[in-house]
Amino acid sequence: MSEVAELKGWTDGADAIVYQSCDACRYIWYFHRAFCPSCGDASPQTHRASGRGTVYAATVVRRAATPETKAHVPYAILLVDLAEGFRIMAHGNADLNLGDSIAIEFRPFAGLRTPYAVRAV
Amino acid sequence: MHDYGLTKEDMAEFAVLMRQHAMLHPGAQFRDPITVAEVLASREISSPLKLLDCCPVSDGGAAFIISRAPVSDHHVRVLGCGQAHLHQHVTAARSLSDVGAAVAMERARKKAGVDPRAIKYAGIYDSFTITLAILIEELGLAPRGGAAARVRNGDFGINGALPLNTHGGLLSYGHCGCGGAMAHLVETQLQMTGRAGVRQVRDASLALLHGDGGVMSSHISMFLERVR
């Protein structure tokens, strides 16, 4: 368990995307859980993702949802399919199109460091 | 849009249609006519959605009373309901055009024992124009990529083959939270019992209601039939 606890993602302050997988049914998922959301197995494995992926969906937000995000408008919100086989929501460059290859960096947004997609080189 | 070729102009058709219906409802929040060009010219909120692609934030409510005693010559029977909750966060959806609506409707259809092609009236959740397009197509009320063509053909109008959200929907009647979608049910009941006034459709004998909550994540379909 200590090994698992050391793998921290961006929601715990680390510049990393972590995900989980199930040895029993091979399901892969993003949001941290104590059990497999597909088969219920109680021993999911936690991994660090490469941060490489492709853009699945994209929008540019021009109306801030909250007062603290006003300074960021306009900003892009993307759904990104990561190479390991799961999907995340991320900020990113506004000129990215669907299907573009990206790499995830981490940038400040409304007091957090959040995933930010840039075009892969 | 990427998968099925839907355009901004296509989405605007739904905003115009909902406004046309709301113009006939004294309780609707927005009753001034709009055009496709005006929808496209309204300011962008989150691309590709413009202001007029989005439902308003509304004050209001809706209520209905379930009674054993009929309110008119006709009353309404619930034939069957079905639910599907396949994801919560949108990243966990299988795709943005396969969000669980069809699963909910199939479960409702099995309980109701009806042919969905026989539906005469539809009340479909319409938080944004794109929501309506996605749900209409996933529910099979139009072929993939074909929802806007049915709007242009007049099919979803009050005198069309499948009148849709004749009160003006969330987009123009208004969206006051849970009461927003309840207004779809109220309008459906009015239509089925012949009490929709100037908005009355010819035949609302079999209706499909579809509600969507969360982030395209919680789906409920219901078939209703009119009985004497």
Side-chain angles (χ1 to χ4, degrees), chain A residues 27 30-31 56-63 79 86-89 98-99, chain B residues 2-3 43-49 89-97:
Chain A
Y27 191 66
Y30 181 33
F31 295 126
Y56 171 70
T59 184
V60 175
V61 178
R62 298 192 184 278
R63 184 191 183 281
L79 297 182
F86 64 102
R87 187 171 292 163
I88 68 167
M89 185 176 279
L98 275 57
Chain B
H2 179 264
D3 291 352
R43 71 187 169 93
E44 194 167 74
I45 301 297
S46 185
S47 64
L49 299 177
H89 196 269
V90 69
T91 54
R94 288 180 290 198
S95 90
L96 296 181
S97 48

PDB file of all heavy atoms in Angstrom, chain A residues 27 30-31 56-63 79 86-89 98-99, chain B residues 2-3 43-49 89-97:
ATOM      1  N   TYR A  27     -10.258  -3.450 -16.735  1.00  0.00           N
ATOM      2  CA  TYR A  27     -10.849  -2.116 -16.908  1.00  0.00           C
ATOM      3  C   TYR A  27      -9.831  -1.051 -16.491  1.00  0.00           C
ATOM      4  O   TYR A  27      -9.016  -1.266 -15.595  1.00  0.00           O
ATOM      5  CB  TYR A  27     -12.120  -2.009 -16.052  1.00  0.00           C
ATOM      6  CG  TYR A  27     -12.970  -0.781 -16.341  1.00  0.00           C
ATOM      7  CD1 TYR A  27     -13.606  -0.616 -17.565  1.00  0.00           C
ATOM      8  CD2 TYR A  27     -13.139   0.207 -15.370  1.00  0.00           C
ATOM      9  CE1 TYR A  27     -14.381   0.493 -17.821  1.00  0.00           C
ATOM     10  CE2 TYR A  27     -13.918   1.330 -15.613  1.00  0.00           C
ATOM     11  CZ  TYR A  27     -14.533   1.463 -16.847  1.00  0.00           C
ATOM     12  OH  TYR A  27     -15.301   2.562 -17.095  1.00  0.00           O
ATOM     13  N   TYR A  30     -10.067   6.719 -14.624  1.00  0.00           N
ATOM     14  CA  TYR A  30      -9.370   7.943 -14.219  1.00  0.00           C
ATOM     15  C   TYR A  30      -9.605   8.304 -12.752  1.00  0.00           C
ATOM     16  O   TYR A  30      -8.666   8.443 -11.986  1.00  0.00           O
ATOM     17  CB  TYR A  30      -9.837   9.071 -15.133  1.00  0.00           C
ATOM     18  CG  TYR A  30      -9.211  10.429 -14.907  1.00  0.00           C
ATOM     19  CD1 TYR A  30      -7.885  10.564 -14.465  1.00  0.00           C
ATOM     20  CD2 TYR A  30      -9.929  11.575 -15.173  1.00  0.00           C
ATOM     21  CE1 TYR A  30      -7.321  11.824 -14.288  1.00  0.00           C
ATOM     22  CE2 TYR A  30      -9.370  12.836 -15.004  1.00  0.00           C
ATOM     23  CZ  TYR A  30      -8.073  12.948 -14.557  1.00  0.00           C
ATOM     24  OH  TYR A  30      -7.523  14.188 -14.391  1.00  0.00           O
ATOM     25  N   PHE A  31     -10.871   8.464 -12.371  1.00  0.00           N
ATOM     26  CA  PHE A  31     -11.158   8.944 -11.009  1.00  0.00           C
ATOM     27  C   PHE A  31     -10.828   7.884  -9.964  1.00  0.00           C
ATOM     28  O   PHE A  31     -11.293   6.748 -10.050  1.00  0.00           O
ATOM     29  CB  PHE A  31     -12.630   9.358 -10.895  1.00  0.00           C
ATOM     30  CG  PHE A  31     -12.967  10.539 -11.750  1.00  0.00           C
ATOM     31  CD1 PHE A  31     -14.003  10.482 -12.657  1.00  0.00           C
ATOM     32  CD2 PHE A  31     -12.225  11.718 -11.659  1.00  0.00           C
ATOM     33  CE1 PHE A  31     -14.308  11.574 -13.460  1.00  0.00           C
ATOM     34  CE2 PHE A  31     -12.529  12.816 -12.452  1.00  0.00           C
ATOM     35  CZ  PHE A  31     -13.570  12.742 -13.349  1.00  0.00           C
ATOM     36  N   TYR A  56     -10.267  14.684 -27.984  1.00  0.00           N
ATOM     37  CA  TYR A  56     -11.562  14.080 -28.343  1.00  0.00           C
ATOM     38  C   TYR A  56     -12.621  15.156 -28.564  1.00  0.00           C
ATOM     39  O   TYR A  56     -13.474  15.031 -29.444  1.00  0.00           O
ATOM     40  CB  TYR A  56     -12.003  13.115 -27.241  1.00  0.00           C
ATOM     41  CG  TYR A  56     -13.428  12.612 -27.409  1.00  0.00           C
ATOM     42  CD1 TYR A  56     -13.749  11.731 -28.441  1.00  0.00           C
ATOM     43  CD2 TYR A  56     -14.444  13.025 -26.548  1.00  0.00           C
ATOM     44  CE1 TYR A  56     -15.051  11.275 -28.609  1.00  0.00           C
ATOM     45  CE2 TYR A  56     -15.748  12.576 -26.711  1.00  0.00           C
ATOM     46  CZ  TYR A  56     -16.047  11.695 -27.745  1.00  0.00           C
ATOM     47  OH  TYR A  56     -17.341  11.258 -27.914  1.00  0.00           O
ATOM     48  N   ALA A  57     -12.609  16.210 -27.744  1.00  0.00           N
ATOM     49  CA  ALA A  57     -13.594  17.288 -27.878  1.00  0.00           C
ATOM     50  C   ALA A  57     -12.959  18.577 -27.380  1.00  0.00           C
ATOM     51  O   ALA A  57     -12.031  18.546 -26.559  1.00  0.00           O
ATOM     52  CB  ALA A  57     -14.857  16.975 -27.085  1.00  0.00           C
ATOM     53  N   ALA A  58     -13.435  19.712 -27.894  1.00  0.00           N
ATOM     54  CA  ALA A  58     -12.828  20.993 -27.532  1.00  0.00           C
ATOM     55  C   ALA A  58     -13.862  22.104 -27.550  1.00  0.00           C
ATOM     56  O   ALA A  58     -14.769  22.113 -28.391  1.00  0.00           O
ATOM     57  CB  ALA A  58     -11.700  21.338 -28.519  1.00  0.00           C
ATOM     58  N   THR A  59     -13.729  23.040 -26.613  1.00  0.00           N
ATOM     59  CA  THR A  59     -14.549  24.243 -26.619  1.00  0.00           C
ATOM     60  C   THR A  59     -13.699  25.391 -26.088  1.00  0.00           C
ATOM     61  O   THR A  59     -12.728  25.174 -25.359  1.00  0.00           O
ATOM     62  CB  THR A  59     -15.820  24.073 -25.768  1.00  0.00           C
ATOM     63  OG1 THR A  59     -16.639  25.252 -25.894  1.00  0.00           O
ATOM     64  CG2 THR A  59     -15.493  23.885 -24.299  1.00  0.00           C
ATOM     65  N   VAL A  60     -14.067  26.609 -26.500  1.00  0.00           N
ATOM     66  CA  VAL A  60     -13.429  27.799 -25.931  1.00  0.00           C
ATOM     67  C   VAL A  60     -14.488  28.534 -25.108  1.00  0.00           C
ATOM     68  O   VAL A  60     -15.531  28.935 -25.637  1.00  0.00           O
ATOM     69  CB  VAL A  60     -12.863  28.719 -27.025  1.00  0.00           C
ATOM     70  CG1 VAL A  60     -12.322  30.010 -26.395  1.00  0.00           C
ATOM     71  CG2 VAL A  60     -11.756  28.001 -27.791  1.00  0.00           C
ATOM     72  N   VAL A  61     -14.220  28.659 -23.816  1.00  0.00           N
ATOM     73  CA  VAL A  61     -15.157  29.283 -22.889  1.00  0.00           C
ATOM     74  C   VAL A  61     -14.940  30.790 -22.891  1.00  0.00           C
ATOM     75  O   VAL A  61     -13.824  31.259 -22.665  1.00  0.00           O
ATOM     76  CB  VAL A  61     -14.962  28.717 -21.458  1.00  0.00           C
ATOM     77  CG1 VAL A  61     -15.906  29.396 -20.471  1.00  0.00           C
ATOM     78  CG2 VAL A  61     -15.168  27.209 -21.449  1.00  0.00           C
ATOM     79  N   ARG A  62     -16.015  31.539 -23.194  1.00  0.00           N
ATOM     80  CA  ARG A  62     -15.896  33.006 -23.237  1.00  0.00           C
ATOM     81  C   ARG A  62     -16.652  33.676 -22.108  1.00  0.00           C
ATOM     82  O   ARG A  62     -16.488  34.868 -21.877  1.00  0.00           O
ATOM     83  CB  ARG A  62     -16.416  33.524 -24.582  1.00  0.00           C
ATOM     84  CG  ARG A  62     -15.596  32.969 -25.728  1.00  0.00           C
ATOM     85  CD  ARG A  62     -15.875  33.653 -27.044  1.00  0.00           C
ATOM     86  NE  ARG A  62     -15.122  32.991 -28.103  1.00  0.00           N
ATOM     87  CZ  ARG A  62     -13.839  33.223 -28.365  1.00  0.00           C
ATOM     88  NH1 ARG A  62     -13.162  34.118 -27.666  1.00  0.00           N
ATOM     89  NH2 ARG A  62     -13.217  32.567 -29.322  1.00  0.00           N
ATOM     90  N   ARG A  63     -17.501  32.926 -21.432  1.00  0.00           N
ATOM     91  CA  ARG A  63     -18.223  33.478 -20.291  1.00  0.00           C
ATOM     92  C   ARG A  63     -17.768  32.693 -19.068  1.00  0.00           C
ATOM     93  O   ARG A  63     -17.990  31.478 -18.973  1.00  0.00           O
ATOM     94  CB  ARG A  63     -19.732  33.318 -20.456  1.00  0.00           C
ATOM     95  CG  ARG A  63     -20.519  33.969 -19.331  1.00  0.00           C
ATOM     96  CD  ARG A  63     -21.980  33.570 -19.377  1.00  0.00           C
ATOM     97  NE  ARG A  63     -22.765  34.218 -18.359  1.00  0.00           N
ATOM     98  CZ  ARG A  63     -22.806  33.852 -17.080  1.00  0.00           C
ATOM     99  NH1 ARG A  63     -22.090  32.831 -16.658  1.00  0.00           N
ATOM    100  NH2 ARG A  63     -23.556  34.518 -16.218  1.00  0.00           N
ATOM    101  N   LEU A  79     -11.585  17.584 -23.870  1.00  0.00           N
ATOM    102  CA  LEU A  79     -11.601  16.192 -23.436  1.00  0.00           C
ATOM    103  C   LEU A  79     -10.477  15.520 -24.212  1.00  0.00           C
ATOM    104  O   LEU A  79     -10.400  15.653 -25.436  1.00  0.00           O
ATOM    105  CB  LEU A  79     -12.942  15.518 -23.733  1.00  0.00           C
ATOM    106  CG  LEU A  79     -14.167  16.096 -23.018  1.00  0.00           C
ATOM    107  CD1 LEU A  79     -15.417  15.288 -23.374  1.00  0.00           C
ATOM    108  CD2 LEU A  79     -13.977  16.136 -21.507  1.00  0.00           C
ATOM    109  N   PHE A  86      -7.791   6.019 -21.246  1.00  0.00           N
ATOM    110  CA  PHE A  86      -8.861   6.668 -20.487  1.00  0.00           C
ATOM    111  C   PHE A  86      -8.921   8.132 -20.894  1.00  0.00           C
ATOM    112  O   PHE A  86      -8.016   8.645 -21.544  1.00  0.00           O
ATOM    113  CB  PHE A  86      -8.638   6.511 -18.969  1.00  0.00           C
ATOM    114  CG  PHE A  86      -7.391   7.183 -18.456  1.00  0.00           C
ATOM    115  CD1 PHE A  86      -7.471   8.402 -17.804  1.00  0.00           C
ATOM    116  CD2 PHE A  86      -6.142   6.606 -18.645  1.00  0.00           C
ATOM    117  CE1 PHE A  86      -6.332   9.038 -17.340  1.00  0.00           C
ATOM    118  CE2 PHE A  86      -5.000   7.223 -18.178  1.00  0.00           C
ATOM    119  CZ  PHE A  86      -5.092   8.442 -17.530  1.00  0.00           C
ATOM    120  N   ARG A  87     -10.031   8.795 -20.511  1.00  0.00           N
ATOM    121  CA  ARG A  87     -10.299  10.157 -20.966  1.00  0.00           C
ATOM    122  C   ARG A  87     -10.247  11.115 -19.782  1.00  0.00           C
ATOM    123  O   ARG A  87     -10.725  10.792 -18.693  1.00  0.00           O
ATOM    124  CB  ARG A  87     -11.682  10.200 -21.621  1.00  0.00           C
ATOM    125  CG  ARG A  87     -12.035  11.519 -22.282  1.00  0.00           C
ATOM    126  CD  ARG A  87     -13.328  11.373 -23.075  1.00  0.00           C
ATOM    127  NE  ARG A  87     -13.132  10.503 -24.236  1.00  0.00           N
ATOM    128  CZ  ARG A  87     -14.114   9.928 -24.918  1.00  0.00           C
ATOM    129  NH1 ARG A  87     -15.367  10.121 -24.564  1.00  0.00           N
ATOM    130  NH2 ARG A  87     -13.842   9.169 -25.956  1.00  0.00           N
ATOM    131  N   ILE A  88      -9.669  12.289 -20.009  1.00  0.00           N
ATOM    132  CA  ILE A  88      -9.632  13.318 -18.964  1.00  0.00           C
ATOM    133  C   ILE A  88     -10.154  14.640 -19.525  1.00  0.00           C
ATOM    134  O   ILE A  88     -10.204  14.847 -20.734  1.00  0.00           O
ATOM    135  CB  ILE A  88      -8.199  13.547 -18.413  1.00  0.00           C
ATOM    136  CG1 ILE A  88      -7.297  14.195 -19.471  1.00  0.00           C
ATOM    137  CG2 ILE A  88      -7.595  12.249 -17.910  1.00  0.00           C
ATOM    138  CD1 ILE A  88      -5.986  14.743 -18.908  1.00  0.00           C
ATOM    139  N   MET A  89     -10.520  15.522 -18.597  1.00  0.00           N
ATOM    140  CA  MET A  89     -10.831  16.902 -18.968  1.00  0.00           C
ATOM    141  C   MET A  89      -9.585  17.730 -18.649  1.00  0.00           C
ATOM    142  O   MET A  89      -8.936  17.500 -17.627  1.00  0.00           O
ATOM    143  CB  MET A  89     -12.036  17.410 -18.183  1.00  0.00           C
ATOM    144  CG  MET A  89     -12.498  18.803 -18.590  1.00  0.00           C
ATOM    145  SD  MET A  89     -14.016  19.303 -17.713  1.00  0.00           S
ATOM    146  CE  MET A  89     -15.254  18.470 -18.707  1.00  0.00           C
ATOM    147  N   LEU A  98      -9.861  18.612 -32.879  1.00  0.00           N
ATOM    148  CA  LEU A  98     -10.158  17.216 -32.588  1.00  0.00           C
ATOM    149  C   LEU A  98      -9.177  16.317 -33.341  1.00  0.00           C
ATOM    150  O   LEU A  98      -8.883  16.546 -34.519  1.00  0.00           O
ATOM    151  CB  LEU A  98     -11.599  16.888 -32.998  1.00  0.00           C
ATOM    152  CG  LEU A  98     -12.685  17.202 -31.970  1.00  0.00           C
ATOM    153  CD1 LEU A  98     -12.685  18.653 -31.539  1.00  0.00           C
ATOM    154  CD2 LEU A  98     -14.041  16.778 -32.480  1.00  0.00           C
ATOM    155  N   GLY A  99      -8.644  15.323 -32.624  1.00  0.00           N
ATOM    156  CA  GLY A  99      -7.717  14.388 -33.231  1.00  0.00           C
ATOM    157  C   GLY A  99      -6.257  14.787 -33.120  1.00  0.00           C
ATOM    158  O   GLY A  99      -5.370  13.979 -33.408  1.00  0.00           O
TER     159      GLY A  99
ATOM    160  N   HIS B   2     -18.676  16.899 -35.041  1.00  0.00           N
ATOM    161  CA  HIS B   2     -17.561  16.242 -35.709  1.00  0.00           C
ATOM    162  C   HIS B   2     -17.990  14.907 -36.297  1.00  0.00           C
ATOM    163  O   HIS B   2     -17.627  14.568 -37.425  1.00  0.00           O
ATOM    164  CB  HIS B   2     -16.429  16.046 -34.700  1.00  0.00           C
ATOM    165  CG  HIS B   2     -15.229  15.349 -35.257  1.00  0.00           C
ATOM    166  ND1 HIS B   2     -15.035  13.981 -35.113  1.00  0.00           N
ATOM    167  CD2 HIS B   2     -14.180  15.806 -35.964  1.00  0.00           C
ATOM    168  CE1 HIS B   2     -13.902  13.652 -35.707  1.00  0.00           C
ATOM    169  NE2 HIS B   2     -13.361  14.729 -36.235  1.00  0.00           N
ATOM    170  N   ASP B   3     -18.798  14.147 -35.551  1.00  0.00           N
ATOM    171  CA  ASP B   3     -19.134  12.789 -35.974  1.00  0.00           C
ATOM    172  C   ASP B   3     -20.222  12.746 -37.042  1.00  0.00           C
ATOM    173  O   ASP B   3     -20.211  11.878 -37.911  1.00  0.00           O
ATOM    174  CB  ASP B   3     -19.586  11.960 -34.769  1.00  0.00           C
ATOM    175  CG  ASP B   3     -18.439  11.677 -33.803  1.00  0.00           C
ATOM    176  OD1 ASP B   3     -17.281  11.987 -34.158  1.00  0.00           O
ATOM    177  OD2 ASP B   3     -18.702  11.159 -32.707  1.00  0.00           O
ATOM    178  N   ARG B  43     -23.905  36.528 -28.902  1.00  0.00           N
ATOM    179  CA  ARG B  43     -22.503  36.390 -28.474  1.00  0.00           C
ATOM    180  C   ARG B  43     -22.188  34.949 -28.082  1.00  0.00           C
ATOM    181  O   ARG B  43     -23.052  34.213 -27.602  1.00  0.00           O
ATOM    182  CB  ARG B  43     -22.197  37.350 -27.326  1.00  0.00           C
ATOM    183  CG  ARG B  43     -22.827  37.023 -26.009  1.00  0.00           C
ATOM    184  CD  ARG B  43     -22.552  38.164 -25.023  1.00  0.00           C
ATOM    185  NE  ARG B  43     -23.353  38.010 -23.827  1.00  0.00           N
ATOM    186  CZ  ARG B  43     -22.931  37.378 -22.728  1.00  0.00           C
ATOM    187  NH1 ARG B  43     -21.721  36.869 -22.682  1.00  0.00           N
ATOM    188  NH2 ARG B  43     -23.712  37.273 -21.676  1.00  0.00           N
ATOM    189  N   GLU B  44     -20.940  34.575 -28.325  1.00  0.00           N
ATOM    190  CA  GLU B  44     -20.523  33.218 -28.028  1.00  0.00           C
ATOM    191  C   GLU B  44     -20.348  33.054 -26.520  1.00  0.00           C
ATOM    192  O   GLU B  44     -19.747  33.894 -25.855  1.00  0.00           O
ATOM    193  CB  GLU B  44     -19.210  32.903 -28.750  1.00  0.00           C
ATOM    194  CG  GLU B  44     -18.892  31.428 -28.763  1.00  0.00           C
ATOM    195  CD  GLU B  44     -17.755  31.109 -29.741  1.00  0.00           C
ATOM    196  OE1 GLU B  44     -16.597  31.417 -29.424  1.00  0.00           O
ATOM    197  OE2 GLU B  44     -18.045  30.555 -30.813  1.00  0.00           O
ATOM    198  N   ILE B  45     -20.875  31.933 -26.001  1.00  0.00           N
ATOM    199  CA  ILE B  45     -20.745  31.623 -24.575  1.00  0.00           C
ATOM    200  C   ILE B  45     -19.623  30.619 -24.370  1.00  0.00           C
ATOM    201  O   ILE B  45     -18.700  30.814 -23.590  1.00  0.00           O
ATOM    202  CB  ILE B  45     -22.069  31.076 -24.012  1.00  0.00           C
ATOM    203  CG1 ILE B  45     -23.188  32.103 -24.192  1.00  0.00           C
ATOM    204  CG2 ILE B  45     -21.898  30.686 -22.539  1.00  0.00           C
ATOM    205  CD1 ILE B  45     -23.001  33.408 -23.453  1.00  0.00           C
ATOM    206  N   SER B  46     -19.716  29.489 -25.055  1.00  0.00           N
ATOM    207  CA  SER B  46     -18.681  28.454 -25.036  1.00  0.00           C
ATOM    208  C   SER B  46     -18.789  27.766 -26.387  1.00  0.00           C
ATOM    209  O   SER B  46     -19.791  27.134 -26.677  1.00  0.00           O
ATOM    210  CB  SER B  46     -18.942  27.479 -23.878  1.00  0.00           C
ATOM    211  OG  SER B  46     -17.903  26.544 -23.773  1.00  0.00           O
ATOM    212  N   SER B  47     -17.742  27.953 -27.211  1.00  0.00           N
ATOM    213  CA  SER B  47     -17.838  27.556 -28.616  1.00  0.00           C
ATOM    214  C   SER B  47     -18.262  26.091 -28.768  1.00  0.00           C
ATOM    215  O   SER B  47     -17.786  25.256 -27.999  1.00  0.00           O
ATOM    216  CB  SER B  47     -16.488  27.774 -29.323  1.00  0.00           C
ATOM    217  OG  SER B  47     -15.501  26.918 -28.749  1.00  0.00           O
ATOM    218  N   PRO B  48     -19.109  25.756 -29.708  1.00  0.00           N
ATOM    219  CA  PRO B  48     -19.737  26.639 -30.692  1.00  0.00           C
ATOM    220  C   PRO B  48     -21.069  27.237 -30.227  1.00  0.00           C
ATOM    221  O   PRO B  48     -21.791  27.780 -31.062  1.00  0.00           O
ATOM    222  CB  PRO B  48     -19.968  25.687 -31.866  1.00  0.00           C
ATOM    223  CG  PRO B  48     -20.314  24.390 -31.197  1.00  0.00           C
ATOM    224  CD  PRO B  48     -19.463  24.335 -29.945  1.00  0.00           C
ATOM    225  N   LEU B  49     -21.390  27.140 -28.953  1.00  0.00           N
ATOM    226  CA  LEU B  49     -22.706  27.585 -28.484  1.00  0.00           C
ATOM    227  C   LEU B  49     -22.755  29.096 -28.300  1.00  0.00           C
ATOM    228  O   LEU B  49     -21.904  29.688 -27.631  1.00  0.00           O
ATOM    229  CB  LEU B  49     -23.062  26.890 -27.165  1.00  0.00           C
ATOM    230  CG  LEU B  49     -23.161  25.360 -27.229  1.00  0.00           C
ATOM    231  CD1 LEU B  49     -23.446  24.789 -25.842  1.00  0.00           C
ATOM    232  CD2 LEU B  49     -24.222  24.921 -28.224  1.00  0.00           C
ATOM    233  N   HIS B  89     -19.269  11.932 -14.432  1.00  0.00           N
ATOM    234  CA  HIS B  89     -18.488  12.960 -15.118  1.00  0.00           C
ATOM    235  C   HIS B  89     -18.481  12.689 -16.619  1.00  0.00           C
ATOM    236  O   HIS B  89     -18.499  11.534 -17.049  1.00  0.00           O
ATOM    237  CB  HIS B  89     -17.055  12.975 -14.581  1.00  0.00           C
ATOM    238  CG  HIS B  89     -16.297  14.221 -14.943  1.00  0.00           C
ATOM    239  ND1 HIS B  89     -15.550  14.307 -16.085  1.00  0.00           N
ATOM    240  CD2 HIS B  89     -16.209  15.415 -14.328  1.00  0.00           C
ATOM    241  CE1 HIS B  89     -15.006  15.523 -16.158  1.00  0.00           C
ATOM    242  NE2 HIS B  89     -15.406  16.219 -15.102  1.00  0.00           N
ATOM    243  N   VAL B  90     -18.472  13.760 -17.404  1.00  0.00           N
ATOM    244  CA  VAL B  90     -18.594  13.606 -18.854  1.00  0.00           C
ATOM    245  C   VAL B  90     -17.409  12.843 -19.451  1.00  0.00           C
ATOM    246  O   VAL B  90     -17.534  12.201 -20.497  1.00  0.00           O
ATOM    247  CB  VAL B  90     -18.776  14.990 -19.534  1.00  0.00           C
ATOM    248  CG1 VAL B  90     -17.514  15.824 -19.453  1.00  0.00           C
ATOM    249  CG2 VAL B  90     -19.255  14.842 -20.962  1.00  0.00           C
ATOM    250  N   THR B  91     -16.259  12.847 -18.779  1.00  0.00           N
ATOM    251  CA  THR B  91     -15.114  12.084 -19.301  1.00  0.00           C
ATOM    252  C   THR B  91     -15.385  10.579 -19.271  1.00  0.00           C
ATOM    253  O   THR B  91     -14.709   9.827 -19.960  1.00  0.00           O
ATOM    254  CB  THR B  91     -13.835  12.352 -18.482  1.00  0.00           C
ATOM    255  OG1 THR B  91     -14.107  12.109 -17.093  1.00  0.00           O
ATOM    256  CG2 THR B  91     -13.351  13.776 -18.659  1.00  0.00           C
ATOM    257  N   ALA B  92     -16.353  10.168 -18.453  1.00  0.00           N
ATOM    258  CA  ALA B  92     -16.644   8.735 -18.339  1.00  0.00           C
ATOM    259  C   ALA B  92     -17.743   8.283 -19.301  1.00  0.00           C
ATOM    260  O   ALA B  92     -18.079   7.100 -19.333  1.00  0.00           O
ATOM    261  CB  ALA B  92     -17.020   8.384 -16.899  1.00  0.00           C
ATOM    262  N   ALA B  93     -18.298   9.205 -20.077  1.00  0.00           N
ATOM    263  CA  ALA B  93     -19.303   8.826 -21.077  1.00  0.00           C
ATOM    264  C   ALA B  93     -18.617   8.087 -22.214  1.00  0.00           C
ATOM    265  O   ALA B  93     -17.485   8.422 -22.576  1.00  0.00           O
ATOM    266  CB  ALA B  93     -20.015  10.067 -21.618  1.00  0.00           C
ATOM    267  N   ARG B  94     -19.311   7.120 -22.790  1.00  0.00           N
ATOM    268  CA  ARG B  94     -18.703   6.341 -23.878  1.00  0.00           C
ATOM    269  C   ARG B  94     -18.391   7.240 -25.064  1.00  0.00           C
ATOM    270  O   ARG B  94     -17.342   7.156 -25.677  1.00  0.00           O
ATOM    271  CB  ARG B  94     -19.642   5.201 -24.293  1.00  0.00           C
ATOM    272  CG  ARG B  94     -19.697   4.102 -23.248  1.00  0.00           C
ATOM    273  CD  ARG B  94     -20.636   2.991 -23.666  1.00  0.00           C
ATOM    274  NE  ARG B  94     -22.032   3.430 -23.634  1.00  0.00           N
ATOM    275  CZ  ARG B  94     -23.067   2.591 -23.620  1.00  0.00           C
ATOM    276  NH1 ARG B  94     -22.859   1.301 -23.659  1.00  0.00           N
ATOM    277  NH2 ARG B  94     -24.301   3.047 -23.592  1.00  0.00           N
ATOM    278  N   SER B  95     -19.363   8.103 -25.407  1.00  0.00           N
ATOM    279  CA  SER B  95     -19.126   9.126 -26.417  1.00  0.00           C
ATOM    280  C   SER B  95     -20.143  10.222 -26.165  1.00  0.00           C
ATOM    281  O   SER B  95     -21.076  10.041 -25.382  1.00  0.00           O
ATOM    282  CB  SER B  95     -19.252   8.560 -27.842  1.00  0.00           C
ATOM    283  OG  SER B  95     -20.587   8.689 -28.295  1.00  0.00           O
ATOM    284  N   LEU B  96     -19.999  11.348 -26.830  1.00  0.00           N
ATOM    285  CA  LEU B  96     -20.920  12.456 -26.611  1.00  0.00           C
ATOM    286  C   LEU B  96     -22.216  12.283 -27.394  1.00  0.00           C
ATOM    287  O   LEU B  96     -23.108  13.114 -27.310  1.00  0.00           O
ATOM    288  CB  LEU B  96     -20.246  13.790 -26.964  1.00  0.00           C
ATOM    289  CG  LEU B  96     -19.058  14.144 -26.068  1.00  0.00           C
ATOM    290  CD1 LEU B  96     -18.467  15.481 -26.473  1.00  0.00           C
ATOM    291  CD2 LEU B  96     -19.457  14.161 -24.596  1.00  0.00           C
ATOM    292  N   SER B  97     -22.317  11.199 -28.149  1.00  0.00           N
ATOM    293  CA  SER B  97     -23.581  10.923 -28.823  1.00  0.00           C
ATOM    294  C   SER B  97     -24.128   9.549 -28.425  1.00  0.00           C
ATOM    295  O   SER B  97     -24.999   9.008 -29.084  1.00  0.00           O
ATOM    296  CB  SER B  97     -23.408  11.025 -30.342  1.00  0.00           C
ATOM    297  OG  SER B  97     -22.279  10.316 -30.764  1.00  0.00           O
TER     298      SER B  97
END
